[in-house]
Amino acid sequence: MIYLSGERLHPHHVRAVEFERRWRGLDPVQVYAYLDRAADEIDRLHRELTTANTEAERIRQALRQWQSRHADRRAATHHRPSGERR
């Protein structure tokens, strides 16, 4: 099977695929060289996606912390006695 529907395509899928031989087919050396390049590119993209997701999560956490600190300051400002200045 060349591609399993519903499953993400990973480099090992590309490298493991086998094609039937035909008398008048494509040059297998060229086909498998191209598949190796495609697998390398998929591997690179998976690594970049992992890095981007990690960075996005770090930013989300930093934003939550900032929002929490900001909310705490706003609450403290709004609860001061009426005669007290900031």
Side-chain angles (χ1 to χ4, degrees):
M1 180 180 291
I2 292 176
Y3 183 72
L4 302 172
S5 63
E7 186 177 339
R8 275 199 165 156
L9 186 61
H10 291 277
H12 66 273
H13 294 133
V14 175
R15 288 190 174 99
V17 71
E18 301 236 351
F19 298 95
E20 294 177 13
R21 300 284 179 178
R22 298 281 191 248
W23 183 71
R24 295 175 61 105
L26 299 172
D27 179 358
V29 173
Q30 288 180 340
V31 169
Y32 289 109
Y34 187 81
L35 289 174
D36 279 341
R37 284 186 58 207
D40 290 344
E41 181 67 8
I42 291 169
D43 187 43
R44 184 187 65 79
L45 292 170
H46 278 271
R47 285 193 313 269
E48 285 184 10
L49 179 61
T50 298
T51 300
N53 284 337
T54 300
E55 180 66 7
E57 182 57 30
R58 186 192 66 75
I59 291 169
R60 277 192 291 274
Q61 289 177 1
L63 177 59
R64 282 189 210 109
Q65 290 173 355
W66 181 87
Q67 288 171 328
S68 178
R69 285 192 308 267
H70 185 70
D72 290 346
R73 287 183 194 147
R74 278 186 126 184
T77 302
H78 289 293
H79 289 93
R80 288 186 177 159
S82 58
E84 192 176 314
R85 292 204 176 259
R86 292 185 201 182

